[in-house]
Amino acid sequence: MDFTRLTIAQVRKKLDRKEISSVELTKAYLERIGKLDRKLNAYITVTEKEALHTAKKADEKIAQGDASPLLGIPFSAKDMYLTKGIRTTAGSKVLENYIPQYSATVLEKMEHAGAVLVGKNNQDAWAHGASGEHSDFGPTKNPWNLAYIPGGSSSGPAVSVAADLASFAIATDTGGSIRQPASLCGITGLKPTYGRVSRYGVVAMASSFDTMGHFTRSVEDSALILSVTAGYDEHDATSSEKPVPHYASELKKNIKGLKIGMPKEYFTSGLDSNVSKTVKTAMHKLEELGAEIIPISLPHTQYGVGVYYILQTAEVSSNLARYDGIRYGNNRETFGDEAKRRIMLGTFVLAHGYYDAYYKRAMKIRTLIRQDFDIAFRKVDAIACPVSPTPAWKIGEKVSDPLAMYLADIFTVTANIAGIPGLAIPAGFAMGMPVGMQLLGPQFSEDILFRIGHQYQLTTDWHTRKPDLPV
């Protein structure tokens, strides 16, 4: 049996029954990375020595009867997460040789849980991108078709899970950077509520939008991971003190009687017809499971991309100001074109004479978008909609057209603007490439999204489909 293809829940049983050891499992993943990653470019750094050491310690704990959910499970991390003693680049040559002195809170929680870090994943530099093509270490390729993009900015983490190069991966979602590549790679991706998971120790992209989430093979696995990563952190003033539910217990509940909204603004002329058909078919399946689909309106959706790219670039220009070649890494000449573009845009919208016209107005519309969701969630328990307006596109197809690339985020940015959770789950295929459905809920409603997503996956097999990658 190829244990690298199993979900966390499945391999947990194998480990506890001593049918495989964590060292054996970790070696299997490392071997697969060695054979396949030259084609996929999902990793910037592979941590073989550290991984085998952690796996050995995990086996010792398992032998003593420790059955913690993530103990001995190999995972990868987007290279935005600081890892003590292990190179962290944020996908940029500016930090090509940067070795952090401490680890992000999420990494510390993973270490405490006994999970095994096998490597740091490739990404769009500074998390600026929707395709994985803006990495200073070369583009990541979609395992379903190597000529196509996997989505971004969390390209490497998504591919590492889709291609069975890691059991799960932690990543960041600022405007759709987990949900969009999850959809385009045919896996499950969670963007939690803003503040649900600590941002401490993660390279900041846009601080009021950045959300720490993860990629998995199933909703059940996603619930297991959030139970570990969620919670208050004294190092992050934006983290919530709200108690963390027992997410796994919610999975068993059916969805009969739940009201799920279908926003008309997400099914517009810009949506690929094949994607629309796939998502509507998935929503019909939710109806068969007992949910009620209710038409709703989110009237300010049309302003989402504009608002996001004004506010996000303003925060980017501030956050990247620290990388001046004196305190961290190489000098500013090392910044790529997309980073320079966002620094200039952000500086412009914050400049005297333009602040009121752009930044201040965008902040007002941000409030209206939040109110749209508040009003909608008085009528429905969750919202179902597309993740991306199209399936994955060919590498190089949009790289010279920044506006076309930005519009790829049209259905995801509003969740970050409002700070609500979003769950992307595989829903089918269009033109041979995966398509995902997005579930959105009120703040801190991850339990409801898991419940809906899990029940959907119990009756469909889209999440079990694998790309054909000969080793």
Side-chain angles (χ1 to χ4, degrees), residues 90-152:
S92 171
K93 293 286 187 178
V94 172
L95 296 177
E96 185 173 10
N97 301 306
Y98 175 60
I99 308 294
Q101 299 302 304
Y102 67 98
S103 291
T105 294
V106 170
L107 261 296
E108 289 185 342
K109 288 187 173 186
M110 287 296 154
E111 182 179 352
H112 181 73
V116 179
L117 178 67
V118 293
K120 304 292 292 296
N121 294 128
N122 199 6
Q123 59 167 89
D124 288 297
W126 308 108
H128 300 166
S131 67
E133 296 170 281
H134 293 295
S135 170
D136 289 354
F137 297 89
T140 305
K141 298 176 182 178
N142 194 311
W144 291 93
N145 188 324
L146 300 183
Y148 285 70
I149 60 98

Side-chain angles (χ1 to χ4, degrees), residues 130-131 142 148-151 179-186 266 268-276 278-279 386-394 397-398 404-405 407-412 428-437:
S131 67
N142 194 311
Y148 285 70
I149 60 98
R179 289 160 291 150
Q180 189 242 28
S183 174
L184 302 187
C185 289
Y266 284 63
T268 62
S269 57
L271 177 64
D272 179 271
S273 60
N274 294 302
V275 172
S276 178
T278 301
V279 174
V387 182
S388 172
T390 67
W393 56 89
K394 286 187 176 181
E397 185 177 328
K398 298 182 181 181
M405 193 78 78
L407 288 172
D409 296 331
I410 192 169
F411 298 140
T412 54
F429 289 81
M431 295 174 284
M433 299 300 287
V435 172
M437 174 174 64

Side-chain angles (χ1 to χ4, degrees), residues 133-390:
E133 296 170 281
H134 293 295
S135 170
D136 289 354
F137 297 89
T140 305
K141 298 176 182 178
N142 194 311
W144 291 93
N145 188 324
L146 300 183
Y148 285 70
I149 60 98
S153 63
S154 304
S155 52
V159 171
S160 69
V161 174
D164 298 326
L165 306 183
S167 186
F168 68 94
I170 57 173
T172 65
D173 189 312
T174 305
S177 291
I178 289 175
R179 289 160 291 150
Q180 189 242 28
S183 174
L184 302 187
C185 289
I187 55 176
T188 299
L190 175 72
K191 171 224 173 296
T193 302
Y194 182 82
R196 179 75 287 183
V197 179
S198 173
R199 295 186 297 115
Y200 182 72
V202 182
V203 177
M205 197 266 240
S207 303
S208 74
F209 297 90
D210 292 345
T211 314
M212 309 303 112
H214 47 261
F215 295 98
T216 57
R217 295 180 179 130
S218 70
V219 173
E220 182 181 17
D221 283 359
S222 190
L224 286 174
I225 295 167
L226 189 62
S227 294
V228 173
T229 59
Y232 174 71
D233 179 14
E234 63 180 7
H235 298 300
D236 178 6
T238 64
S239 66
S240 173
E241 296 185 44
K242 193 176 179 67
V244 179
H246 187 261
Y247 294 115
S249 64
E250 292 296 314
L251 300 178
K252 302 174 184 178
K253 299 179 181 178
N254 63 48
I255 63 172
K256 291 180 180 178
L258 287 184
K259 293 180 172 61
I260 299 177
M262 179 181 179
K264 64 179 183 180
E265 291 81 6
Y266 284 63
F267 293 87
T268 62
S269 57
L271 177 64
D272 179 271
S273 60
N274 294 302
V275 172
S276 178
K277 181 180 179 181
T278 301
V279 174
K280 287 179 179 178
T281 299
M283 294 175 71
H284 180 65
K285 172 61 70 173
L286 297 180
E287 278 189 304
E288 292 178 355
L289 293 171
E292 181 182 356
I293 304 299
I294 298 175
I296 62 168
S297 177
L298 299 169
H300 294 92
T301 298
Q302 61 179 313
Y303 304 113
V305 171
V307 167
Y308 174 75
Y309 279 99
I310 288 172
L311 300 180
Q312 177 250 88
T313 55
E315 295 185 22
V316 163
S317 68
S318 175
N319 281 324
L320 291 188
R322 74 194 72 178
Y323 301 103
D324 52 13
I326 298 172
R327 289 165 289 184
Y328 304 96
N330 299 319
N331 62 38
R332 295 187 176 204
E333 293 176 0
T334 322
F335 277 127
D337 289 343
E338 185 60 27
K340 292 176 181 177
R341 182 181 294 115
R342 298 195 188 203
I343 290 170
M344 288 188 290
L345 284 170
T347 303
F348 174 79
V349 300
L350 290 173
H352 178 71
Y354 298 102
Y355 178 87
D356 286 347
Y358 294 102
Y359 186 83
K360 191 173 180 179
R361 183 173 294 180
M363 285 295 289
K364 291 179 179 179
I365 302 175
R366 182 179 196 174
T367 299
L368 295 176
I369 291 173
R370 285 173 173 167
Q371 290 175 353
D372 284 349
F373 281 109
D374 289 342
I375 293 170
F377 289 130
R378 294 173 193 163
K379 303 174 184 176
V380 297
D381 301 293
I383 292 170
C385 56
V387 182
S388 172
T390 67

